[in-house]
Amino acid sequence: MVKPDIHTLAHHLKQERLYVASEKQLIQRLNNEVLKTAERLCRAAWIAKQQRINLDRLILTSAEASPAECCQHAKFLEDTQFVDGYKTLGFQESIYGEFLGRLRENPRLVASCLVAGERLNHEHTQGVIHTVFTSLYGNCIMQEDECYLLQVLRYLVEFELKESDNPRRLLRRGTCAFSILFKLFSEGLYSAKLFLTATLHEPIMQLLVEDEDHLETDPAKLIERFTPAQQERLFGEKGTDEYRRKVQAAVEANEAKLVALVNSFIGYLKQNTYCFPQSLRWIVSQMYKTLARVERLEVGEVRTMCTDLLLTCFICPAIVNPEQYGIISDAPINEVARFNLMQVGQLLQQLAMSDADDGDPRRKSSLSKFDKMCVSAFLDVVIGGRAVETPPMSSMNLLEGLTRTVVYMTHNQLLAVVDFVRSVTAGDQLREEDHLALETLLANVPQSRTTKSNSLELTPSNTPQLSPATTPANKKNRLPIGIPSTLNLLMDDTNNLILLLLLLL
């Protein structure tokens, strides 16, 4: 009886061992698939963000970037190849990796460097700001990177906005480090896209369907849109009382339509505050809390700055260009609709500044038709509640358990970042503790040749790229922390853009 039982036990143990081995292989295969998918996601995100920056460069600074140059740049980005950083940097890859890894994990130092670079008017500052977001923090795809970047933004409020003589003007200019990083972050945040779509889809579709005329509220500009014959037919003989009365009636009719549209947008804003992104809510609350303690700033002015930030850098750009944000995809936007969307965006911004002293009677007349507290109520919901010091964790993080160990960066970007940090360290704008920390970081980093260009833009000459990899969060399974690949551009024989992949150490 004992022998058959032993045989049965051995058989079951063998079957169990085979089953466990099979499950291990399956889990290992699934882990490899997850890592490969995450790597493809990070690479696609890097290329997509570079394409977005390229498009903004064409639209906003067309004088500096010709359409042909931007099209060529877009083609190079489409053909990007990713190469391990050691193939270009050799043994120095680990040195650069350690430098970037330690810099990434010190948000306070990153913010201090960016502010110092702006004060020194360093030529690469704006390019470095973009590199910080797209490479150092990997477009904030991973939750860890999002937490780091939120802390960078909080320190920028303290070091940049709080210390500015006129923080409101600094924000409205949109070229400071805080404004640029806030815009880059909000554009790529998945929860922000959900909020914008839920809030703006219906009112934008309503505008596209209902209005076929320019909703112009300036009498002079309204008249300019018609030929002399049309003016006489619509308003009568020029210079008469009837003419002026009909022009004013047309202006008032357009104002009434705009008021109804703007009220509709505000209504949807209030209705969807429940899905406002927690990350943006946290940084706006931190901004309000920090600036409200500044003696020279009144609470009302701080509230206006917070509202203006949300509208200028987050909501209004999506209203004016809803296609770029994925809010609408099945309805064409013609020139008339685009003009009316811009009118709505401008009115919302004016409502945010309604407390400011403004002597324009026509603007005051337009704003008097709105509830003065309509936008303020939206801000109350955003900054309300107990402010916490720790950045919120995303509630919909599909990549939980993964950590990034590689940085995607071109060789030129790497060299420019190192040159930027060296220049900031040599300057006189850093606090003593930050200066010592940077000297320690740079101690082993080799001296690099000066970058030729004045920007971090990828150019047709050579462009190495870095791609972030992901591994299980368990440190035992982590690869060495990767460093962004070289900043110099590399091109192969087929003119493809080659991006280097560096491990963070």
Side-chain angles (χ1 to χ4, degrees):
M1 291 297 294
V2 176
K3 192 172 183 179
D5 289 342
I6 292 177
H7 281 301
T8 301
L9 176 62
H11 175 74
H12 285 305
L13 290 174
K14 183 178 180 180
Q15 292 295 107
E16 184 174 341
R17 186 182 65 178
L18 292 174
Y19 173 76
V20 170
S22 174
E23 289 298 300
K24 283 183 177 180
Q25 291 177 0
L26 177 60
I27 293 173
Q28 190 172 24
R29 187 164 61 250
L30 290 175
N31 279 335
N32 289 334
E33 291 178 4
V34 169
L35 294 180
K36 290 179 181 179
T37 302
E39 184 176 349
R40 288 197 300 271
L41 171 63
C42 291
R43 293 182 177 187
W46 189 92
I47 295 174
K49 180 55 73 173
Q50 297 297 330
Q51 292 279 30
R52 180 62 177 267
I53 293 172
N54 185 44
L55 177 62
D56 290 342
R57 181 165 164 254
L58 173 63
I59 296 173
L60 302 177
T61 60
S62 55
E64 301 176 9
S66 66
E69 180 185 350
C70 291
C71 287
Q72 185 183 37
H73 187 71
K75 180 64 169 62
F76 286 136
L77 287 171
E78 288 178 0
D79 297 333
T80 297
Q81 294 185 11
F82 295 82
V83 176
D84 290 334
Y86 72 86
K87 294 182 180 179
T88 296
L89 299 176
F91 72 92
Q92 293 179 344
E93 182 206 18
S94 61
I95 299 175
Y96 284 112
E98 182 180 2
F99 165 74
L100 293 174
R102 292 170 65 184
L103 184 64
R104 168 179 175 262
E105 294 171 356
N106 194 335
R108 186 184 187 280
L109 193 59
V110 172
S112 185
C113 284
L114 295 180
V115 174
E118 288 184 324
R119 291 173 180 169
L120 293 170
N121 293 319
H122 193 282
E123 60 181 349
H124 287 162
T125 301
Q126 288 216 1
V128 168
I129 294 172
H130 284 95
T131 303
V132 164
F133 181 80
T134 60
S135 297
L136 195 63
Y137 293 119
N139 293 298
C140 292
I141 293 177
M142 300 295 173
Q143 191 173 69
E144 184 180 36
D145 288 315
E146 182 178 324
C147 289
Y148 280 142
L149 188 77
L150 286 173
Q151 292 179 59
V152 171
L153 287 169
R154 183 185 65 179
Y155 284 120
L156 284 174
V157 171
E158 183 177 344
F159 299 157
E160 186 174 46
L161 300 183
K162 185 179 177 181
E163 300 298 325
S164 172
D165 294 333
N166 193 335
R168 184 173 181 182
R169 182 175 61 188
L170 190 65
L171 280 174
R172 288 196 62 78
R173 198 178 297 160
T175 56
C176 65
F178 178 85
S179 295
I180 295 174
L181 279 180
F182 182 88
K183 186 173 185 296
L184 290 170
F185 177 61
S186 60
E187 283 178 348
L189 193 63
Y190 180 68
S191 56
K193 294 179 181 179
L194 291 178
F195 169 75
L196 290 175
T197 302
T199 301
L200 301 179
H201 183 268
E202 286 299 324
I204 288 178
M205 291 301 297
Q206 177 186 348
L207 183 148
L208 297 180
V209 170
E210 293 182 359
D211 291 299
E212 298 179 355
D213 299 321
H214 292 86
L215 298 181
E216 181 62 75
T217 58
D218 186 327
K221 293 180 180 179
L222 175 67
I223 295 171
E224 289 175 359
R225 294 191 177 277
F226 301 102
T227 64
Q230 289 175 324
Q231 291 179 22
E232 186 173 356
R233 178 170 56 84
L234 293 173
F235 308 118
E237 185 178 350
K238 193 170 185 178
T240 63
D241 290 341
E242 180 187 11
Y243 179 88
R244 287 189 290 270
R245 188 171 58 254
K246 288 187 176 181
V247 168
Q248 184 61 32
V251 168
E252 291 176 357
N254 287 344
E255 285 184 347
K257 290 181 180 180
L258 275 176
V259 168
L261 285 171
V262 172
N263 281 330
S264 175
F265 276 83
I266 293 173
Y268 277 97
L269 273 176
K270 294 179 180 178
Q271 181 179 329
N272 290 282
T273 49
Y274 71 92
C275 63
F276 190 84
Q278 291 297 320
S279 300
L280 299 186
R281 187 191 299 266
W282 182 81
I283 192 58
V284 174
S285 298
Q286 292 294 318
M287 174 179 165
Y288 177 79
K289 183 181 71 172
T290 301
L291 297 183
R293 293 198 296 260
V294 179
E295 292 183 1
R296 67 179 182 277
L297 297 176
E298 296 182 359
V299 174
E301 187 177 0
V302 175
R303 289 177 59 86
T304 301
M305 282 190 285
C306 293
T307 309
D308 199 25
L309 173 70
L310 289 174
L311 292 175
T312 303
C313 296
F314 180 48
I315 295 173
C316 288
I319 291 176
V320 176
N321 297 297
E323 322 97 298
Q324 293 183 18
Y325 291 80
I327 296 172
I328 62 170
S329 57
D330 53 352
I333 298 182
N334 56 28
E335 187 270 335
V336 175
R338 185 81 63 192
F339 175 83
N340 292 341
L341 287 172
M342 291 174 64
Q343 290 285 81
V344 170
Q346 288 174 1
L347 270 175
L348 284 173
Q349 288 178 302
Q350 289 171 3
L351 281 170
M353 300 183 296
S354 58
D355 293 335
D357 185 20
D358 192 329
D360 185 353
R362 187 165 56 83
R363 176 183 161 182
K364 285 185 175 180
S365 175
S366 298
L367 298 182
S368 65
K369 299 179 174 64
F370 295 94
D371 177 8
K372 290 184 178 181
M373 302 301 294
C374 56
V375 178
S376 179
F378 169 67
L379 178 65
D380 288 336
V381 176
V382 173
I383 65 175
R386 185 173 60 89
V388 294
E389 292 297 323
T390 307
M393 304 296 285
S394 175
S395 59
M396 292 183 59
N397 185 14
L398 301 180
L399 299 178
E400 186 177 357
L402 296 178
T403 185
R404 186 169 59 90
T405 58
V406 180
V407 175
Y408 296 100
M409 185 182 286
T410 67
H411 197 183
N412 281 337
Q413 288 172 330
L414 178 60
L415 296 179
V417 167
V418 173
D419 174 68
F420 176 83
V421 174
R422 288 193 189 281
S423 299
V424 166
T425 305
D428 58 354
Q429 297 296 323
L430 289 173
R431 296 167 178 80
E432 182 63 26
E433 61 270 25
D434 294 335
H435 186 271
L436 293 175
L438 285 180
E439 284 187 335
T440 303
L441 276 181
L442 292 168
N444 297 322
V445 178
Q447 293 287 340
S448 57
R449 55 182 168 77
T450 305
T451 52
K452 296 180 180 179
S453 62
N454 291 332
S455 71
L456 298 183
E457 299 290 343
L458 302 182
T459 62
S461 53
N462 44 352
T463 307
Q465 303 167 339
L466 300 180
S467 72
T470 51
T471 61
N474 187 337
K475 291 187 177 180
K476 294 182 180 179
N477 296 325
R478 288 183 61 175
L479 297 176
I481 295 181
I483 301 289
S485 56
T486 55
L487 298 178
N488 291 326
L489 302 180
L490 298 178
M491 305 295 295
D492 63 8
D493 294 337
T494 59
N495 285 331
N496 289 330
L497 184 62
I498 300 177
L499 198 64
L500 300 184
L501 183 147
L502 297 180
L503 293 179
L504 295 170
L505 295 177

